[in-house]
Amino acid sequence: LCLPVEFGTQRMLDVVNKKTDLEKIKKIIPLVEKNRIKASCFFIIGHPEETLEEIKETIKLAKSLPISRAYFSIFKTLPGSPDYYKYGKEKGRLIFSDGNKKIKKIQRYALLSFYFRPKQLLTVIHDNLSFSQFKGLLKIISKFIIG
């Protein structure tokens, strides 16, 4: 089950008009896992109104939840969307690409700090990877570490 949590602070959930409550998320996900359903969560980092401290809270939340996978995407908008006009085109900001080195570094940290916990690493390997997939994962990890 993939859940779009998106942010680790209630303020950011409110900013993007995500009609959910962070406390509900923290209660629902353990129930999903308790019923032997593997949960994954999607998170977003790098929103123009998000602070570095809030990004750290999102990473901290991901690591605190009983989930098998976490996906950390860099905030992007599509031309024509409300966010495009609010944060990009009208403001003259370039926020639509993964070109920002700082946010890519933070994304790399989020992924590594989530997946390089011993229990998490063993879970991923055990549940999903053949030997050839494991070798591919090691290549991806080395690219993230090296940059």
Side-chain angles (χ1 to χ4, degrees):
L1 179 64
C2 293
L3 303 162
V5 175
E6 296 183 4
F7 297 98
T9 66
Q10 189 62 51
R11 187 188 83 80
M12 283 306 302
L13 291 171
D14 294 342
V15 165
V16 298
N17 202 25
K18 181 97 170 159
K19 300 194 185 319
T20 191
D21 181 291
L22 195 57
E23 293 308 311
K24 285 181 186 176
I25 291 167
K26 291 177 183 179
K27 290 177 185 174
I28 290 171
I29 293 173
L31 292 175
V32 170
E33 286 289 319
K34 184 179 178 183
N35 286 292
R36 299 180 190 215
I37 299 170
K38 294 216 179 267
S40 299
C41 291
F42 294 102
F43 299 95
I44 298 172
I45 59 173
H47 188 281
E49 294 191 33
E50 186 178 35
T51 66
L52 181 57
E53 198 55 45
E54 288 172 318
I55 293 173
K56 289 177 183 177
E57 285 298 314
T58 296
I59 296 166
K60 183 178 174 183
L61 174 67
K63 290 165 50 173
S64 74
L65 296 172
I67 57 177
S68 57
R69 287 198 170 77
Y71 303 93
F72 297 92
S73 298
I74 296 172
F75 176 79
K76 295 178 197 162
T77 65
L78 296 173
S81 71
D83 284 344
Y84 180 79
Y85 295 103
K86 184 173 183 179
Y87 301 116
K89 186 177 179 184
E90 291 180 359
K91 302 291 183 187
R93 297 180 191 167
L94 182 64
I95 58 167
F96 312 111
S97 74
D98 291 353
N100 184 317
K101 287 183 182 181
K102 183 176 180 181
I103 197 67
K104 280 181 125 178
K105 190 173 184 178
I106 294 169
Q107 180 190 38
R108 191 175 309 131
Y109 168 78
L111 288 164
L112 291 174
S113 68
F114 181 84
Y115 284 105
F116 271 99
R117 297 174 296 149
K119 182 180 177 186
Q120 198 64 41
L121 191 58
L122 289 173
T123 298
V124 170
I125 292 168
H126 176 268
D127 290 352
N128 301 294
L129 300 179
S130 66
F131 182 72
S132 63
Q133 290 170 324
F134 180 68
K135 286 185 346 185
L137 177 63
L138 288 177
K139 286 180 184 178
I140 291 168
I141 290 169
S142 68
K143 285 181 184 179
F144 269 132
I145 293 171
I146 294 169

